[in-house]
Amino acid sequence: MKLEEKNTGVLYIVATPIGNLSDISERAIITLKDVDLIVAEDTRHSKPMLDKLGVSAALLSYHRFNEAARCDELIKRLLNGQSIALISDAGTPLISDPGYRLVRAAHHHHIAVSPIPGACAAVAALSVCGFDSEHFYFAGFLAAKSVARCQQLQQLKSIPAMLIFYESPHRILATLQDMAKILGSHRQALIAREITKRYEDIQRDRLTGLITWLQQDDNHQRGEFVIIIDAPEFSQQQRKVSEKSQQTLEILLEELPLKQAVELAAKLSDAKKNDLYQLALEMKNKSYP
């Protein structure tokens, strides 16, 4: 007997492990074994996992290159009573993965869509970041090119919430360097690398500290990454100093002692020396975001 006895099938959105196979839920396994078809982002990646779980349902690829073409076919199957499970390469589908067109079409045709919750890299990293998690903004992957990436970061800069990103190993260092440049080198952040996998690594520091950590060992730049940037906190002192003057002071503090950095920043900007000095103390004491 199928999971749902209806004229139309059900589209199940099934979360799969992001590294540790033990994180698969019992409900997810039951669902995957009972559906007529499993739609996977990369069948070559999903097949070994499904084999280990003892799942033998038919498997069909569904990725960003064939999403539009596959959608109509899958809707027809659902309307004909077949049940379908959508999975991604890892974690919860549709979180920076294809699938929204299929889900939208299912709703349009009044086909039931049912979530089977489980692992999600963004939520897993959020749970261990130690920042105030009342508000957060998931930005996913940034642009591959630095110019476009910096433009995106500039738009995100003043959002009063934590920022959550995904990033690949070959761009992680360049992305953090752009984040330091646009968001502020003293901004508190967390890198979660290879979550739930053998070489899981969680690092929490200012952006400058995380950049240094990445550069210390090439192995630190391997794997899949979640980046969390703490929400901005604007102190009374910061409000007295223009954003341009703050950026000038930040750069100088990285290279000079505090007193010299303040004196030079005062000469290069229109900010008052005393305001810059008080702000520099905040930065040094890590009260600056």
Side-chain angles (χ1 to χ4, degrees):
M1 180 179 292
K2 293 299 174 187
L3 292 168
E4 299 286 344
E5 296 293 346
K6 292 185 177 180
N7 292 330
T8 61
V10 178
L11 175 60
Y12 294 95
I13 311 302
V14 183
T16 55
I18 55 178
N20 192 321
L21 189 62
S22 299
D23 290 336
I24 189 79
S25 72
E26 182 179 358
R27 184 178 173 216
I29 296 174
I30 292 172
T31 302
L32 292 172
K33 287 182 176 180
D34 209 24
V35 293
D36 298 292
L37 177 68
I38 296 174
V39 177
E41 185 178 1
D42 186 340
T43 56
R44 296 167 301 178
H45 177 90
S46 299
K47 185 68 164 60
M49 177 198 70
L50 295 172
D51 287 343
K52 289 179 182 178
L53 296 173
V55 175
S56 58
L59 195 59
L60 187 68
S61 66
Y62 184 85
H63 46 72
R64 62 190 181 96
F65 298 108
N66 70 0
E67 189 172 9
R70 282 271 197 257
C71 190
D72 288 344
E73 174 190 348
L74 296 173
I75 291 298
K76 288 178 181 178
R77 287 175 178 253
L78 288 161
L79 290 173
N80 288 331
Q82 292 188 23
S83 57
I84 297 176
L86 173 66
I87 63 175
S88 63
D89 284 348
T92 302
L94 279 79
I95 310 299
S96 283
D97 287 322
Y100 83 90
R101 287 185 177 86
L102 178 59
V103 173
R104 182 175 61 187
H107 285 303
H108 177 75
H109 289 279
H110 305 289
I111 296 167
V113 182
S114 179
I116 310 296
C120 174
V123 174
L126 178 64
S127 71
V128 297
C129 71
F131 302 137
D132 184 348
S133 58
E134 184 175 358
H135 303 289
F136 62 89
Y137 180 94
F138 177 71
F141 286 95
L142 291 168
K145 301 295 183 179
S146 180
V147 173
R149 187 163 58 234
C150 287
Q151 290 174 344
Q152 291 174 327
L153 288 168
Q154 193 66 48
Q155 294 175 342
L156 298 169
K157 182 176 182 178
S158 59
I159 291 178
M162 279 191 303
L163 304 176
I164 304 178
F165 305 88
Y166 287 162
E167 194 49 277
S168 58
H170 62 281
R171 288 200 300 265
I172 182 64
L173 180 58
T175 293
L176 256 71
Q177 289 171 335
D178 284 342
M179 287 176 170
K181 179 172 65 175
I182 302 300
L183 302 179
S185 59
H186 290 71
R187 191 89 167 250
Q188 292 287 333
L190 174 134
I191 289 178
R193 183 175 75 92
E194 294 289 87
I195 298 178
T196 78
K197 300 177 184 177
R198 181 179 180 183
Y199 296 106
E200 176 183 274
D201 204 343
I202 308 294
Q203 298 290 326
R204 187 179 186 274
D205 202 343
R206 295 182 181 188
L207 281 170
T208 49
L210 293 176
I211 290 169
T212 299
W213 177 78
L214 285 171
Q215 294 172 325
Q216 286 174 345
D217 188 338
D218 288 344
N219 289 322
H220 293 169
Q221 298 180 40
R222 295 181 178 179
E224 300 299 323
F225 293 85
V226 180
I227 305 168
I228 297 183
I229 310 294
D230 196 11
E233 296 177 0
F234 299 106
S235 68
Q236 182 179 0
Q237 198 61 43
Q238 283 175 269
R239 294 188 180 97
K240 295 181 181 180
V241 180
S242 69
E243 183 176 331
K244 184 176 181 180
S245 297
Q246 290 180 40
Q247 291 174 345
T248 300
L249 181 60
E250 282 185 31
I251 295 170
L252 292 172
L253 282 172
E254 292 177 9
E255 305 295 335
L256 299 172
L258 187 146
K259 186 176 179 180
Q260 292 180 0
V262 169
E263 289 178 351
L264 186 53
K267 293 178 180 179
L268 295 173
S269 70
D270 58 357
K272 295 180 180 179
K273 185 176 178 180
N274 187 57
D275 290 339
L276 287 168
Y277 182 77
Q278 295 300 321
L279 182 56
L281 290 176
E282 289 185 5
M283 292 177 176
K284 286 294 186 180
N285 291 329
K286 293 192 175 184
S287 60
Y288 185 85

